[in-house]
Amino acid sequence: MEVNTNSKEETQKIGADLANDLEGGDIIALFGNLGAGKTTFVQGLAKALGIKKRILSPTFVFVRSYPFSKNSEKLTFHHLDLYRGQSISDFDALGLDEIFDKDAICVIEWADKIEKFLPKKRIDVFFEIKNGDKRLINIRRNK
Ligand code: ADP
Ligand code: MG
């Protein structure tokens, strides 16, 4: 699915729409340059999951985790931002096995950095900066 947004709020809405289709075990890989709207998208997504905490990009850590529940099931939302990650050892320390859990929904900014560790069955979201406040967002569900 391809969609253009014209504001931060519209991008948050696209994140919220995706949230409604998610279930435990889902992994969402985000691709796109700095300022393309990845964190903005995650804010809308997390809010729609019922997470009340404000989502900021994890800066000094690569991952922040938030408990939430969906249909009275207790799940965890993991928000990864690998912008500052450089080496395999950075990513080893993340404990991806635990993060990619059936009881968790995981969203990864700068997913290209760990692409070879990502399961094939995932949702990819590509962000492109267009003129001004326009962003092109492409969502692809891989089997
Ligand atoms: P990233 O996480 O990809 O680096 P952010 O979501 O942190 O990007 O930042 C996006 C910036 O672009 C924010 O300052 C936001 O207000 C601005 N912006 C302008 N138009 C849009 C849009 N259509 N979608 C998302 N963000 C937008
Ligand atoms: Mg970001």
Side-chain angles (χ1 to χ4, degrees), residues 99-114:
I99 284 173
F100 298 152
D101 186 76
K102 65 175 172 35
D103 294 325
I105 289 173
C106 180
V107 178
I108 309 155
E109 295 190 45
W110 300 97
D112 43 296
K113 296 199 180 194
I114 55 164

Side-chain angles (χ1 to χ4, degrees), residues 5-8 11 33-40 109 133 135:
T5 67
N6 297 292
S7 69
K8 182 178 177 161
T11 293
N33 290 335
L34 202 63
K38 301 180 295 299
T39 301
T40 300
E109 295 190 45
D133 286 349
R135 303 289 189 272

Side-chain angles (χ1 to χ4, degrees), residues 62 84-94 113-114 117:
F62 292 124
R84 288 185 173 75
Q86 285 174 345
S87 63
I88 294 297
S89 64
D90 285 343
F91 304 131
D92 268 350
L94 284 170
K113 296 199 180 194
I114 55 164
F117 303 125

Side-chain angles (χ1 to χ4, degrees), residues 73-142:
E73 213 187 334
K74 285 189 193 312
L75 300 172
T76 307
F77 177 67
H78 297 295
H79 177 204
L80 280 75
D81 187 332
L82 307 177
Y83 181 55
R84 288 185 173 75
Q86 285 174 345
S87 63
I88 294 297
S89 64
D90 285 343
F91 304 131
D92 268 350
L94 284 170
L96 289 174
D97 288 350
E98 209 169 300
I99 284 173
F100 298 152
D101 186 76
K102 65 175 172 35
D103 294 325
I105 289 173
C106 180
V107 178
I108 309 155
E109 295 190 45
W110 300 97
D112 43 296
K113 296 199 180 194
I114 55 164
E115 200 161 0
K116 62 180 174 207
F117 303 125
L118 293 178
K120 290 219 164 45
K121 184 174 179 295
R122 63 174 195 258
I123 299 166
D124 286 332
V125 186
F126 302 91
F127 296 81
E128 250 182 79
I129 303 180
K130 298 290 180 185
N131 282 341
D133 286 349
K134 280 204 195 322
R135 303 289 189 272
L136 177 64
I137 303 176
N138 207 310
I139 302 180
R140 197 155 62 208
R141 214 177 246 278
N142 301 303

